[in-house]
Amino acid sequence: MKPILKWQYERLIKELLLLQDHQADPSCPCETESEMCVRKHLLSIEAYAEETVSMEENKEYRDKLNNLIQEAKDLRKEEEALLQGKEPSFRQDLLAWPRKWRKEFEYYTLSEAEEE
C-alpha cells in the first residue's frame, strides 16, 4: 500500500473510531457549546472517503469507499435534520455503523506502507 493511501485510511479509521466512541459514551456532551460532534465526524468520514477513493486502485475498495461516502452523506443529512429540530426520515444505529465500516478497512490497512 502506498504511504499516502495508508495515511488516508488511517485517518478514516480514526474518524470512525471517534464517532463510535461518541455514540458509546452517553456522558459525552456532544451538542453543548455549539459542538456538533456527530455531524463533525460524519463530515470528516465523508471527506476522507471522497479523497481516498480517487487514490484507490483496488476496485473492491473503491466500491466500498463509494458506498461509505453515500451512507455518510445520508447520515449527515439526518443528523442535520435532528439538529434543526426536524424529525428524520430514518435513524441508522450510529454505534453499529462506524464499527461495521471500521472493520471493512482495518485488516486492509495492516500492510506496510511501500516505499515509492
Short mmCIF file of all heavy atoms in Angstrom, two decimals, residues 34-98:
data_model
loop_
_atom_site.label_atom_id
_atom_site.label_comp_id
_atom_site.label_asym_id
_atom_site.label_seq_id
_atom_site.Cartn_x
_atom_site.Cartn_y
_atom_site.Cartn_z
N SER A 34 -22.12 24.76 21.19
CA SER A 34 -22.12 24.78 19.73
C SER A 34 -21.34 23.64 19.08
O SER A 34 -21.04 23.68 17.89
CB SER A 34 -21.59 26.12 19.19
OG SER A 34 -22.41 27.17 19.65
N GLU A 35 -20.97 22.64 19.84
CA GLU A 35 -20.31 21.47 19.26
C GLU A 35 -21.37 20.57 18.64
O GLU A 35 -22.46 20.44 19.17
CB GLU A 35 -19.54 20.68 20.33
CG GLU A 35 -18.25 21.32 20.74
CD GLU A 35 -17.25 21.45 19.60
OE1 GLU A 35 -17.12 20.52 18.80
OE2 GLU A 35 -16.61 22.50 19.51
N MET A 36 -21.04 20.00 17.54
CA MET A 36 -21.92 19.04 16.86
C MET A 36 -21.05 17.86 16.47
O MET A 36 -20.71 17.66 15.29
CB MET A 36 -22.56 19.69 15.64
CG MET A 36 -23.48 20.84 15.97
SD MET A 36 -24.17 21.58 14.49
CE MET A 36 -23.59 23.25 14.71
N CYS A 37 -20.64 17.09 17.48
CA CYS A 37 -19.65 16.03 17.29
C CYS A 37 -20.04 15.02 16.22
O CYS A 37 -19.21 14.65 15.38
CB CYS A 37 -19.38 15.30 18.60
SG CYS A 37 -18.62 16.34 19.85
N VAL A 38 -21.27 14.56 16.24
CA VAL A 38 -21.69 13.54 15.28
C VAL A 38 -21.59 14.09 13.86
O VAL A 38 -21.01 13.46 12.98
CB VAL A 38 -23.10 13.02 15.60
CG1 VAL A 38 -23.62 12.10 14.50
CG2 VAL A 38 -23.11 12.30 16.95
N ARG A 39 -22.13 15.27 13.65
CA ARG A 39 -22.06 15.89 12.32
C ARG A 39 -20.62 16.11 11.88
O ARG A 39 -20.24 15.83 10.75
CB ARG A 39 -22.81 17.22 12.32
CG ARG A 39 -22.77 17.91 10.97
CD ARG A 39 -23.58 19.22 11.00
NE ARG A 39 -23.60 19.82 9.69
CZ ARG A 39 -22.73 20.73 9.27
NH1 ARG A 39 -21.76 21.16 10.07
NH2 ARG A 39 -22.81 21.23 8.05
N LYS A 40 -19.79 16.58 12.80
CA LYS A 40 -18.38 16.84 12.51
C LYS A 40 -17.68 15.56 12.06
O LYS A 40 -16.96 15.56 11.04
CB LYS A 40 -17.70 17.42 13.75
CG LYS A 40 -16.20 17.58 13.63
CD LYS A 40 -15.60 18.09 14.93
CE LYS A 40 -15.68 17.02 15.99
NZ LYS A 40 -15.08 17.40 17.27
N HIS A 41 -17.88 14.47 12.76
CA HIS A 41 -17.21 13.22 12.39
C HIS A 41 -17.78 12.65 11.09
O HIS A 41 -17.03 12.10 10.28
CB HIS A 41 -17.29 12.20 13.52
CG HIS A 41 -16.47 12.61 14.70
ND1 HIS A 41 -15.11 12.86 14.62
CD2 HIS A 41 -16.81 12.86 15.98
CE1 HIS A 41 -14.66 13.22 15.80
NE2 HIS A 41 -15.67 13.24 16.65
N LEU A 42 -19.08 12.78 10.88
CA LEU A 42 -19.67 12.32 9.62
C LEU A 42 -19.10 13.11 8.44
O LEU A 42 -18.80 12.54 7.38
CB LEU A 42 -21.19 12.42 9.65
CG LEU A 42 -21.89 11.38 10.53
CD1 LEU A 42 -23.35 11.73 10.71
CD2 LEU A 42 -21.74 9.98 9.94
N LEU A 43 -18.93 14.42 8.60
CA LEU A 43 -18.32 15.23 7.55
C LEU A 43 -16.89 14.79 7.27
O LEU A 43 -16.48 14.70 6.11
CB LEU A 43 -18.34 16.71 7.95
CG LEU A 43 -19.61 17.48 7.68
CD1 LEU A 43 -19.58 18.82 8.39
CD2 LEU A 43 -19.81 17.68 6.19
N SER A 44 -16.15 14.51 8.32
CA SER A 44 -14.76 14.08 8.15
C SER A 44 -14.69 12.72 7.47
O SER A 44 -13.84 12.50 6.59
CB SER A 44 -14.05 14.02 9.50
OG SER A 44 -13.91 15.31 10.03
N ILE A 45 -15.55 11.81 7.86
CA ILE A 45 -15.59 10.48 7.24
C ILE A 45 -15.91 10.63 5.75
O ILE A 45 -15.25 10.03 4.90
CB ILE A 45 -16.61 9.58 7.95
CG1 ILE A 45 -16.11 9.23 9.35
CG2 ILE A 45 -16.92 8.32 7.13
CD1 ILE A 45 -17.17 8.68 10.29
N GLU A 46 -16.91 11.43 5.46
CA GLU A 46 -17.30 11.67 4.07
C GLU A 46 -16.12 12.27 3.29
O GLU A 46 -15.81 11.82 2.18
CB GLU A 46 -18.49 12.63 4.08
CG GLU A 46 -19.11 12.93 2.77
CD GLU A 46 -20.28 13.92 2.90
OE1 GLU A 46 -20.91 14.01 3.97
OE2 GLU A 46 -20.53 14.60 1.89
N ALA A 47 -15.46 13.25 3.86
CA ALA A 47 -14.36 13.93 3.17
C ALA A 47 -13.16 13.00 2.95
O ALA A 47 -12.61 12.97 1.84
CB ALA A 47 -13.93 15.15 3.97
N TYR A 48 -12.76 12.26 3.97
CA TYR A 48 -11.63 11.34 3.79
C TYR A 48 -11.96 10.25 2.79
O TYR A 48 -11.12 9.86 1.98
CB TYR A 48 -11.18 10.73 5.12
CG TYR A 48 -10.26 11.62 5.90
CD1 TYR A 48 -10.62 12.12 7.14
CD2 TYR A 48 -9.00 11.96 5.39
CE1 TYR A 48 -9.78 12.95 7.85
CE2 TYR A 48 -8.15 12.79 6.10
CZ TYR A 48 -8.54 13.28 7.33
OH TYR A 48 -7.70 14.10 8.03
N ALA A 49 -13.18 9.74 2.81
CA ALA A 49 -13.57 8.71 1.84
C ALA A 49 -13.56 9.28 0.43
O ALA A 49 -13.08 8.63 -0.51
CB ALA A 49 -14.93 8.13 2.19
N GLU A 50 -14.07 10.51 0.25
CA GLU A 50 -14.07 11.15 -1.07
C GLU A 50 -12.64 11.34 -1.58
O GLU A 50 -12.35 11.13 -2.75
CB GLU A 50 -14.80 12.49 -1.03
CG GLU A 50 -16.29 12.36 -0.92
CD GLU A 50 -16.99 13.70 -0.70
OE1 GLU A 50 -16.35 14.68 -0.28
OE2 GLU A 50 -18.21 13.74 -0.94
N GLU A 51 -11.77 11.76 -0.70
CA GLU A 51 -10.39 12.00 -1.08
C GLU A 51 -9.66 10.69 -1.38
O GLU A 51 -8.85 10.62 -2.31
CB GLU A 51 -9.69 12.75 0.06
CG GLU A 51 -8.37 13.34 -0.29
CD GLU A 51 -7.82 14.19 0.83
OE1 GLU A 51 -7.74 13.71 1.99
OE2 GLU A 51 -7.46 15.34 0.54
N THR A 52 -9.96 9.65 -0.63
CA THR A 52 -9.27 8.37 -0.75
C THR A 52 -9.70 7.61 -2.00
O THR A 52 -8.87 6.94 -2.63
CB THR A 52 -9.52 7.51 0.50
OG1 THR A 52 -9.13 8.26 1.66
CG2 THR A 52 -8.71 6.22 0.46
N VAL A 53 -10.97 7.70 -2.37
CA VAL A 53 -11.47 6.90 -3.49
C VAL A 53 -10.70 7.18 -4.78
O VAL A 53 -10.47 6.26 -5.58
CB VAL A 53 -13.00 7.08 -3.67
CG1 VAL A 53 -13.35 8.40 -4.31
CG2 VAL A 53 -13.60 5.93 -4.46
N SER A 54 -10.26 8.39 -4.99
CA SER A 54 -9.53 8.71 -6.22
C SER A 54 -8.11 8.14 -6.22
O SER A 54 -7.50 8.00 -7.28
CB SER A 54 -9.48 10.22 -6.44
OG SER A 54 -8.73 10.84 -5.42
N MET A 55 -7.60 7.79 -5.05
CA MET A 55 -6.25 7.23 -4.94
C MET A 55 -6.25 5.71 -4.98
O MET A 55 -5.23 5.10 -5.24
CB MET A 55 -5.62 7.66 -3.61
CG MET A 55 -5.48 9.12 -3.42
SD MET A 55 -4.86 9.39 -1.74
CE MET A 55 -5.21 11.13 -1.58
N GLU A 56 -7.40 5.13 -4.69
CA GLU A 56 -7.51 3.67 -4.54
C GLU A 56 -7.55 2.99 -5.90
O GLU A 56 -8.39 3.32 -6.73
CB GLU A 56 -8.76 3.33 -3.72
CG GLU A 56 -8.97 1.85 -3.47
CD GLU A 56 -7.82 1.19 -2.77
OE1 GLU A 56 -7.67 1.41 -1.55
OE2 GLU A 56 -7.05 0.47 -3.46
N GLU A 57 -6.65 2.04 -6.11
CA GLU A 57 -6.61 1.31 -7.37
C GLU A 57 -7.41 0.01 -7.32
O GLU A 57 -7.79 -0.52 -8.35
CB GLU A 57 -5.15 1.02 -7.74
CG GLU A 57 -4.37 2.28 -8.04
CD GLU A 57 -2.88 2.02 -8.26
OE1 GLU A 57 -2.43 0.86 -8.19
OE2 GLU A 57 -2.17 3.02 -8.51
N ASN A 58 -7.65 -0.49 -6.13
CA ASN A 58 -8.38 -1.74 -5.94
C ASN A 58 -9.88 -1.47 -6.10
O ASN A 58 -10.47 -0.72 -5.32
CB ASN A 58 -8.07 -2.31 -4.55
CG ASN A 58 -8.73 -3.61 -4.27
OD1 ASN A 58 -9.94 -3.77 -4.46
ND2 ASN A 58 -7.96 -4.55 -3.77
N LYS A 59 -10.50 -2.09 -7.12
CA LYS A 59 -11.92 -1.83 -7.41
C LYS A 59 -12.82 -2.17 -6.23
O LYS A 59 -13.77 -1.44 -5.93
CB LYS A 59 -12.36 -2.60 -8.65
CG LYS A 59 -13.83 -2.30 -8.99
CD LYS A 59 -14.32 -3.12 -10.14
CE LYS A 59 -15.76 -2.92 -10.50
NZ LYS A 59 -16.67 -2.35 -9.57
N GLU A 60 -12.54 -3.27 -5.54
CA GLU A 60 -13.37 -3.66 -4.39
C GLU A 60 -13.39 -2.55 -3.33
O GLU A 60 -14.43 -2.20 -2.80
CB GLU A 60 -12.82 -4.96 -3.78
CG GLU A 60 -13.57 -5.39 -2.53
CD GLU A 60 -12.94 -6.59 -1.84
OE1 GLU A 60 -11.94 -7.16 -2.36
OE2 GLU A 60 -13.44 -6.94 -0.76
N TYR A 61 -12.23 -1.98 -3.07
CA TYR A 61 -12.16 -0.92 -2.05
C TYR A 61 -12.66 0.42 -2.57
O TYR A 61 -13.20 1.22 -1.80
CB TYR A 61 -10.74 -0.84 -1.45
CG TYR A 61 -10.58 -1.96 -0.46
CD1 TYR A 61 -10.07 -3.19 -0.84
CD2 TYR A 61 -11.01 -1.82 0.85
CE1 TYR A 61 -9.97 -4.25 0.05
CE2 TYR A 61 -10.92 -2.86 1.75
CZ TYR A 61 -10.41 -4.07 1.35
OH TYR A 61 -10.33 -5.11 2.24
N ARG A 62 -12.54 0.68 -3.86
CA ARG A 62 -13.19 1.88 -4.43
C ARG A 62 -14.70 1.78 -4.25
O ARG A 62 -15.35 2.76 -3.88
CB ARG A 62 -12.85 2.03 -5.92
CG ARG A 62 -11.57 2.73 -6.20
CD ARG A 62 -11.45 3.21 -7.65
NE ARG A 62 -11.96 2.31 -8.64
CZ ARG A 62 -11.24 1.37 -9.27
NH1 ARG A 62 -9.97 1.20 -8.99
NH2 ARG A 62 -11.80 0.60 -10.18
N ASP A 63 -15.25 0.60 -4.52
CA ASP A 63 -16.70 0.40 -4.34
C ASP A 63 -17.10 0.58 -2.88
O ASP A 63 -18.11 1.22 -2.59
CB ASP A 63 -17.12 -0.99 -4.83
CG ASP A 63 -17.03 -1.14 -6.35
OD1 ASP A 63 -16.91 -0.11 -7.06
OD2 ASP A 63 -17.07 -2.29 -6.82
N LYS A 64 -16.29 0.05 -1.98
CA LYS A 64 -16.59 0.21 -0.54
C LYS A 64 -16.55 1.69 -0.16
O LYS A 64 -17.42 2.17 0.56
CB LYS A 64 -15.58 -0.58 0.30
CG LYS A 64 -15.79 -2.07 0.26
CD LYS A 64 -14.78 -2.79 1.13
CE LYS A 64 -14.95 -4.29 1.00
NZ LYS A 64 -14.24 -5.04 2.02
N LEU A 65 -15.55 2.38 -0.64
CA LEU A 65 -15.44 3.81 -0.32
C LEU A 65 -16.62 4.60 -0.89
O LEU A 65 -17.16 5.49 -0.20
CB LEU A 65 -14.12 4.38 -0.85
CG LEU A 65 -12.87 3.94 -0.10
CD1 LEU A 65 -11.62 4.23 -0.92
CD2 LEU A 65 -12.80 4.62 1.27
N ASN A 66 -17.03 4.28 -2.10
CA ASN A 66 -18.20 4.96 -2.68
C ASN A 66 -19.47 4.70 -1.87
O ASN A 66 -20.28 5.61 -1.66
CB ASN A 66 -18.39 4.57 -4.15
CG ASN A 66 -17.45 5.32 -5.05
OD1 ASN A 66 -17.22 6.52 -4.90
ND2 ASN A 66 -16.87 4.62 -6.01
N ASN A 67 -19.63 3.48 -1.39
CA ASN A 67 -20.77 3.17 -0.53
C ASN A 67 -20.69 3.94 0.78
O ASN A 67 -21.69 4.47 1.27
CB ASN A 67 -20.86 1.67 -0.26
CG ASN A 67 -21.29 0.89 -1.48
OD1 ASN A 67 -21.94 1.40 -2.38
ND2 ASN A 67 -20.91 -0.38 -1.53
N LEU A 68 -19.49 3.99 1.34
CA LEU A 68 -19.30 4.74 2.59
C LEU A 68 -19.62 6.22 2.40
O LEU A 68 -20.28 6.83 3.25
CB LEU A 68 -17.86 4.56 3.08
CG LEU A 68 -17.46 5.36 4.32
CD1 LEU A 68 -18.33 5.03 5.52
CD2 LEU A 68 -15.99 5.13 4.63
N ILE A 69 -19.18 6.79 1.30
CA ILE A 69 -19.46 8.20 1.00
C ILE A 69 -20.96 8.45 1.01
O ILE A 69 -21.44 9.38 1.67
CB ILE A 69 -18.85 8.61 -0.36
CG1 ILE A 69 -17.33 8.62 -0.29
CG2 ILE A 69 -19.39 9.97 -0.81
CD1 ILE A 69 -16.64 8.65 -1.66
N GLN A 70 -21.71 7.63 0.30
CA GLN A 70 -23.16 7.84 0.21
C GLN A 70 -23.83 7.66 1.57
O GLN A 70 -24.68 8.45 1.95
CB GLN A 70 -23.79 6.89 -0.82
CG GLN A 70 -25.24 7.23 -1.10
CD GLN A 70 -25.42 8.67 -1.56
OE1 GLN A 70 -24.83 9.09 -2.53
NE2 GLN A 70 -26.24 9.44 -0.85
N GLU A 71 -23.44 6.63 2.29
CA GLU A 71 -24.04 6.41 3.61
C GLU A 71 -23.71 7.55 4.57
O GLU A 71 -24.57 8.00 5.33
CB GLU A 71 -23.58 5.07 4.19
CG GLU A 71 -24.19 3.88 3.50
CD GLU A 71 -23.76 2.55 4.12
OE1 GLU A 71 -23.33 2.53 5.28
OE2 GLU A 71 -23.88 1.53 3.40
N ALA A 72 -22.47 8.02 4.54
CA ALA A 72 -22.08 9.12 5.42
C ALA A 72 -22.87 10.39 5.08
O ALA A 72 -23.31 11.12 5.98
CB ALA A 72 -20.57 9.38 5.32
N LYS A 73 -23.07 10.65 3.79
CA LYS A 73 -23.88 11.82 3.38
C LYS A 73 -25.30 11.70 3.90
O LYS A 73 -25.87 12.67 4.42
CB LYS A 73 -23.92 11.94 1.85
CG LYS A 73 -22.72 12.58 1.25
CD LYS A 73 -22.87 12.70 -0.26
CE LYS A 73 -21.59 13.22 -0.86
NZ LYS A 73 -21.62 13.29 -2.31
N ASP A 74 -25.89 10.52 3.71
CA ASP A 74 -27.27 10.31 4.16
C ASP A 74 -27.38 10.48 5.67
O ASP A 74 -28.31 11.14 6.16
CB ASP A 74 -27.76 8.92 3.77
CG ASP A 74 -27.92 8.74 2.27
OD1 ASP A 74 -27.95 9.75 1.53
OD2 ASP A 74 -27.99 7.57 1.83
N LEU A 75 -26.43 9.93 6.41
CA LEU A 75 -26.45 10.07 7.87
C LEU A 75 -26.23 11.51 8.30
O LEU A 75 -26.84 11.99 9.25
CB LEU A 75 -25.40 9.15 8.50
CG LEU A 75 -25.71 7.67 8.44
CD1 LEU A 75 -24.50 6.85 8.86
CD2 LEU A 75 -26.91 7.34 9.31
N ARG A 76 -25.34 12.20 7.60
CA ARG A 76 -25.10 13.61 7.93
C ARG A 76 -26.36 14.44 7.73
O ARG A 76 -26.71 15.28 8.57
CB ARG A 76 -23.95 14.18 7.08
CG ARG A 76 -23.70 15.66 7.35
CD ARG A 76 -22.53 16.18 6.55
NE ARG A 76 -22.58 15.88 5.14
CZ ARG A 76 -23.28 16.57 4.23
NH1 ARG A 76 -24.03 17.59 4.59
NH2 ARG A 76 -23.22 16.24 2.94
N LYS A 77 -27.07 14.18 6.65
CA LYS A 77 -28.32 14.91 6.40
C LYS A 77 -29.35 14.62 7.49
O LYS A 77 -30.08 15.52 7.93
CB LYS A 77 -28.87 14.56 5.03
CG LYS A 77 -28.05 15.15 3.90
CD LYS A 77 -28.55 14.71 2.54
CE LYS A 77 -27.63 15.24 1.45
NZ LYS A 77 -27.98 14.74 0.13
N GLU A 78 -29.40 13.38 7.93
CA GLU A 78 -30.31 13.02 9.03
C GLU A 78 -29.90 13.73 10.32
O GLU A 78 -30.75 14.24 11.05
CB GLU A 78 -30.32 11.51 9.24
CG GLU A 78 -30.94 10.74 8.11
CD GLU A 78 -32.40 11.07 7.90
OE1 GLU A 78 -33.16 11.10 8.88
OE2 GLU A 78 -32.78 11.32 6.74
N GLU A 79 -28.61 13.76 10.60
CA GLU A 79 -28.12 14.44 11.79
C GLU A 79 -28.41 15.94 11.72
O GLU A 79 -28.81 16.55 12.71
CB GLU A 79 -26.61 14.20 11.96
CG GLU A 79 -26.00 14.83 13.19
CD GLU A 79 -26.52 14.27 14.50
OE1 GLU A 79 -27.09 13.16 14.52
OE2 GLU A 79 -26.34 14.94 15.53
N GLU A 80 -28.24 16.53 10.56
CA GLU A 80 -28.53 17.96 10.40
C GLU A 80 -30.02 18.23 10.62
O GLU A 80 -30.38 19.24 11.22
CB GLU A 80 -28.08 18.44 9.02
CG GLU A 80 -26.57 18.49 8.90
CD GLU A 80 -26.05 18.70 7.50
OE1 GLU A 80 -26.85 18.67 6.53
OE2 GLU A 80 -24.82 18.88 7.36
N ALA A 81 -30.88 17.33 10.16
CA ALA A 81 -32.32 17.48 10.41
C ALA A 81 -32.60 17.44 11.91
O ALA A 81 -33.36 18.27 12.43
CB ALA A 81 -33.10 16.39 9.68
N LEU A 82 -31.98 16.51 12.60
CA LEU A 82 -32.16 16.43 14.06
C LEU A 82 -31.69 17.71 14.75
O LEU A 82 -32.36 18.21 15.65
CB LEU A 82 -31.38 15.24 14.63
CG LEU A 82 -32.01 13.88 14.51
CD1 LEU A 82 -31.03 12.80 14.94
CD2 LEU A 82 -33.26 13.80 15.36
N LEU A 83 -30.54 18.22 14.33
CA LEU A 83 -30.00 19.44 14.94
C LEU A 83 -30.90 20.65 14.70
O LEU A 83 -30.90 21.59 15.48
CB LEU A 83 -28.59 19.71 14.40
CG LEU A 83 -27.52 18.73 14.87
CD1 LEU A 83 -26.24 18.91 14.06
CD2 LEU A 83 -27.23 18.90 16.36
N GLN A 84 -31.67 20.60 13.61
CA GLN A 84 -32.61 21.69 13.30
C GLN A 84 -33.98 21.45 13.92
O GLN A 84 -34.92 22.19 13.66
CB GLN A 84 -32.75 21.83 11.78
CG GLN A 84 -31.47 22.28 11.12
CD GLN A 84 -31.55 22.21 9.60
OE1 GLN A 84 -32.48 21.65 9.03
NE2 GLN A 84 -30.56 22.77 8.94
N GLY A 85 -34.10 20.38 14.72
CA GLY A 85 -35.36 20.09 15.39
C GLY A 85 -36.38 19.39 14.51
O GLY A 85 -37.55 19.31 14.86
N LYS A 86 -35.95 18.89 13.39
CA LYS A 86 -36.85 18.18 12.48
C LYS A 86 -36.81 16.69 12.77
O LYS A 86 -35.84 16.18 13.32
CB LYS A 86 -36.45 18.43 11.02
CG LYS A 86 -36.50 19.88 10.61
CD LYS A 86 -35.94 20.05 9.22
CE LYS A 86 -35.87 21.54 8.85
NZ LYS A 86 -35.13 21.75 7.61
N GLU A 87 -37.86 16.02 12.35
CA GLU A 87 -37.92 14.57 12.51
C GLU A 87 -37.22 13.91 11.32
O GLU A 87 -37.60 14.15 10.18
CB GLU A 87 -39.38 14.11 12.57
CG GLU A 87 -39.57 12.68 12.97
CD GLU A 87 -39.09 12.35 14.37
OE1 GLU A 87 -39.20 13.21 15.26
OE2 GLU A 87 -38.60 11.23 14.57
N PRO A 88 -36.18 13.10 11.57
CA PRO A 88 -35.51 12.44 10.45
C PRO A 88 -36.39 11.36 9.83
O PRO A 88 -37.26 10.81 10.49
CB PRO A 88 -34.27 11.83 11.09
CG PRO A 88 -34.63 11.64 12.52
CD PRO A 88 -35.61 12.75 12.85
N SER A 89 -36.15 11.08 8.56
CA SER A 89 -36.95 10.07 7.87
C SER A 89 -36.55 8.66 8.29
O SER A 89 -37.32 7.73 8.17
CB SER A 89 -36.84 10.24 6.35
OG SER A 89 -35.48 10.16 5.97
N PHE A 90 -35.33 8.50 8.76
CA PHE A 90 -34.87 7.22 9.29
C PHE A 90 -33.77 7.51 10.30
O PHE A 90 -33.26 8.61 10.36
CB PHE A 90 -34.35 6.30 8.17
CG PHE A 90 -33.03 6.76 7.58
CD1 PHE A 90 -31.83 6.28 8.06
CD2 PHE A 90 -33.00 7.68 6.53
CE1 PHE A 90 -30.62 6.70 7.51
CE2 PHE A 90 -31.80 8.10 5.98
CZ PHE A 90 -30.61 7.61 6.47
N ARG A 91 -33.42 6.53 11.07
CA ARG A 91 -32.32 6.73 12.01
C ARG A 91 -31.48 5.47 12.06
O ARG A 91 -31.93 4.44 12.54
CB ARG A 91 -32.85 7.07 13.41
CG ARG A 91 -31.78 7.57 14.35
CD ARG A 91 -31.24 8.90 13.88
NE ARG A 91 -30.24 9.38 14.82
CZ ARG A 91 -29.27 10.21 14.49
NH1 ARG A 91 -29.21 10.69 13.28
NH2 ARG A 91 -28.40 10.60 15.37
N GLN A 92 -30.29 5.54 11.51
CA GLN A 92 -29.34 4.43 11.50
C GLN A 92 -28.73 4.30 12.89
O GLN A 92 -28.57 5.29 13.60
CB GLN A 92 -28.26 4.73 10.46
CG GLN A 92 -27.14 3.74 10.38
CD GLN A 92 -27.36 2.70 9.32
OE1 GLN A 92 -28.19 2.88 8.45
NE2 GLN A 92 -26.63 1.63 9.38
N ASP A 93 -28.35 3.12 13.26
CA ASP A 93 -27.66 2.89 14.52
C ASP A 93 -26.24 3.44 14.38
O ASP A 93 -25.39 2.83 13.72
CB ASP A 93 -27.64 1.40 14.84
CG ASP A 93 -26.95 1.08 16.15
OD1 ASP A 93 -26.28 1.96 16.72
OD2 ASP A 93 -27.07 -0.07 16.60
N LEU A 94 -25.99 4.59 14.98
CA LEU A 94 -24.68 5.23 14.83
C LEU A 94 -23.61 4.64 15.74
O LEU A 94 -22.49 5.13 15.75
CB LEU A 94 -24.80 6.74 15.07
CG LEU A 94 -25.35 7.53 13.89
CD1 LEU A 94 -25.44 9.00 14.23
CD2 LEU A 94 -24.51 7.34 12.65
N LEU A 95 -23.93 3.60 16.46
CA LEU A 95 -22.92 2.86 17.18
C LEU A 95 -22.43 1.69 16.32
O LEU A 95 -21.24 1.44 16.20
CB LEU A 95 -23.46 2.35 18.52
CG LEU A 95 -22.48 1.65 19.44
CD1 LEU A 95 -21.27 2.52 19.73
CD2 LEU A 95 -23.17 1.26 20.73
N ALA A 96 -23.36 1.00 15.68
CA ALA A 96 -23.00 -0.15 14.84
C ALA A 96 -22.41 0.29 13.50
O ALA A 96 -21.52 -0.37 12.97
CB ALA A 96 -24.24 -1.03 14.62
N TRP A 97 -22.91 1.39 12.95
CA TRP A 97 -22.48 1.82 11.62
C TRP A 97 -20.98 2.09 11.53
O TRP A 97 -20.31 1.53 10.65
CB TRP A 97 -23.30 3.05 11.18
CG TRP A 97 -22.97 3.51 9.80
CD1 TRP A 97 -23.45 3.01 8.63
CD2 TRP A 97 -22.07 4.57 9.44
NE1 TRP A 97 -22.90 3.69 7.55
CE2 TRP A 97 -22.06 4.65 8.04
CE3 TRP A 97 -21.28 5.45 10.18
CZ2 TRP A 97 -21.28 5.58 7.35
CZ3 TRP A 97 -20.51 6.38 9.49
CH2 TRP A 97 -20.52 6.43 8.10
N PRO A 98 -20.38 2.92 12.40
CA PRO A 98 -18.94 3.16 12.27
C PRO A 98 -18.11 1.90 12.55
O PRO A 98 -17.07 1.68 11.94
CB PRO A 98 -18.64 4.26 13.28
CG PRO A 98 -19.80 4.30 14.19
CD PRO A 98 -20.97 3.73 13.46
#
